[in-house]
Amino acid sequence: MHTTLAAPRRTSLVRETGFGYFPVALIARLPFAMMVVGILTLVVSARDSLALGGLTSAMTGLGTAIFGPLLGAAADRFGQRRVLLIAGLANSLLLVAIAWLAFATVPDAALLVVAFLIGASMPQVAPLSRSRLVGIVGRAFPTERRDAVVGGTMAYESAADEIVFVFGPVIVGLLATTMSPAAPVIGAAVLALVFVTAFALHPTAAAAAPAHGAAPKQAPARELVRPALLTTVIGALGMGLFFGAMLTSLTAFMAERGVPEQAGLVYGAMGIGSAALALGVALFPARFTLRARWVVFAAILVAGTLALPLAGSVGAITVCLLVIGVGIGPTLVTQYSLAAARSPLGRSATVMTMLGSAVVVGQSAASALTGFLAESAGAQAALIAPIAAAAVVLGAGIANVPLSRVRPRAPRG
């Protein structure tokens, strides 16, 4: 009588992390998606100054841009759990503080300082989730499967980002109109306290931490400025420039038609298509290489933006945004996949926060510049700004081609 051994179960990322990880990591991103718009809404309502509101939200972005990579480096050095718990608690308290200060008799400068500290303490959930999952893939999956699994993971992560950045502003609008202008900021504080804490305490955070009492093995910091890696950062900066330029110019376009509050709804058309295509990246054949994907989809992004200044109606601009969405999701997935593959040993959290901060820097800078252009020359002129931003993304993709001739190594965490 012959006995047959049961085949070993095929490893899956859901099995390695536990199913509960993904909803927790998704909701833990919402405070970041809510706070910039929420702070803008709060300050404009409380102080009756659009200029102060824009400056305050920009200070939030500046704080994140400066301190985001430092939080990533701290997570690589001390482990994600400790960094997230401290940042999440500080961020929640600061959000409650600005909700009170906005209506208090304090100087405007106090709001700017607190807004900067809010950005500086922002828990870097999305980059740290990417780093955490890439580390799990590197440990739990055989070498021949890692590239495919990392690609699918980056596809999911980019789609998750798109989802929260589409619905975050919607939640802000609902809370602000049905409750009070402070409600979105207080809601973000509660979400940060509960779900960032849950994300920090999840068992996968312990798996990503250095061994107890031992310094983590890390490549020299100079490896963070290698051309191949910096190209992905510049690409992410271009995506941030596009997001800021697109939303600001679209808001100006809708304001000229008397419905500025509908800008978020029209903008959502781009986000939904982008999220769907981001998930579809996992189905692309391996022969459609990462360097080729970046160039192809960035070219689609440029093509969609070139039609924006010619759009004379809301329907026409919505069609442009649908085309643009086809290019955004896959481009973001490709940039993060390349960054994961090129991360120096022991510095994946730093790299992921570098890309995330580059997006924030681009978004803040482009929002300010495009707003100035819209005020001085009108919405039609402002719609040229997304073209320039898309050109940066495509240029970085073209520069990446010769840097990708050598096959990237498997991610090492």
Side-chain angles (χ1 to χ4, degrees), residues 7-380:
R9 290 194 303 174
R10 187 175 175 86
T11 303
S12 74
L13 195 57
V14 173
R15 186 174 294 130
E16 293 295 326
T17 61
F19 181 77
Y21 173 83
F22 292 96
V24 168
L26 179 68
I27 299 174
R29 300 167 201 247
L30 267 176
F32 183 72
M34 293 170 63
M35 71 173 47
V36 175
V37 179
I39 289 173
L40 174 65
T41 304
L42 169 69
V43 174
V44 170
S45 299
R47 299 292 174 108
D48 194 26
S49 171
L50 183 59
L52 179 61
L55 185 57
T56 307
S57 60
M59 289 297 288
T60 305
L62 181 63
T64 302
I66 293 173
F67 284 90
L70 297 179
L71 290 177
D76 279 330
R77 179 65 181 84
F78 302 108
Q80 291 191 14
R81 178 166 291 171
R82 191 183 309 176
V83 173
L84 283 166
L85 287 173
I86 295 171
L89 177 60
N91 197 250
S92 298
L93 293 174
L94 288 164
L95 285 168
V96 173
I98 201 169
W100 175 73
L101 289 171
F103 293 95
T105 54
V106 298
D108 293 344
L111 296 181
L112 299 179
V113 171
V114 174
F116 179 83
L117 294 175
I118 287 171
S121 63
M122 165 56 56
Q124 299 291 312
V125 173
L128 294 184
S129 177
R130 285 180 168 92
S131 172
R132 197 181 292 190
L133 295 178
V134 167
I136 290 171
V137 170
R139 287 188 297 271
F141 287 78
T143 303
E144 64 274 9
R145 289 188 60 200
R146 288 178 191 168
D147 285 349
V149 178
V150 167
T153 301
M154 293 301 117
Y156 163 76
E157 288 287 314
S158 295
D161 285 345
E162 293 285 350
I163 290 168
V164 298
F165 275 101
V166 167
F167 289 103
V170 174
I171 294 172
V172 169
L174 290 174
L175 290 175
T177 53
T178 60
M179 298 179 70
S180 79
V185 175
I186 295 173
V190 173
L191 286 174
L193 187 62
V194 175
F195 285 95
V196 173
T197 300
F199 179 72
L201 296 177
H202 193 274
T204 53
H212 179 67
K217 294 181 180 179
Q218 289 185 320
R222 63 177 178 273
E223 290 199 24
L224 293 170
V225 294
R226 287 178 298 146
L229 184 55
L230 287 181
T231 302
T232 63
V233 177
I234 294 170
L237 174 68
M239 295 303 296
L241 289 169
F242 172 79
F243 291 139
M246 188 67 253
L247 182 55
T248 306
S249 60
L250 177 62
T251 301
F253 180 87
M254 299 300 287
E256 287 187 355
R257 283 149 184 80
V259 284
E261 69 279 0
Q262 294 183 14
L265 296 175
V266 178
Y267 189 73
M270 181 183 74
I272 293 170
S274 177
L277 265 292
L279 288 171
V281 168
L283 303 177
F284 291 163
R287 63 180 178 273
F288 187 13
T289 61
L290 291 175
R291 66 175 180 266
R293 293 177 195 179
W294 187 343
V295 174
V296 168
F297 288 103
I300 294 173
L301 175 61
V302 170
T305 58
L306 286 172
L308 286 171
L310 306 177
S313 66
V314 175
I317 210 164
T318 302
V319 172
C320 293
L321 290 172
L322 288 170
V323 174
I324 288 168
V326 172
I328 288 176
T331 303
L332 273 173
V333 172
T334 301
Q335 290 171 350
Y336 276 103
S337 297
L338 285 167
R342 294 169 179 174
S343 294
L345 177 64
R347 295 191 180 272
S348 63
T350 307
V351 169
M352 292 301 162
T353 49
M354 284 170 62
L355 265 70
S357 295
V359 172
V360 173
V361 169
Q363 190 172 20
S364 300
S367 295
L369 293 173
T370 307
F372 176 78
L373 183 60
E375 282 191 12
S376 60
Q380 217 65 25

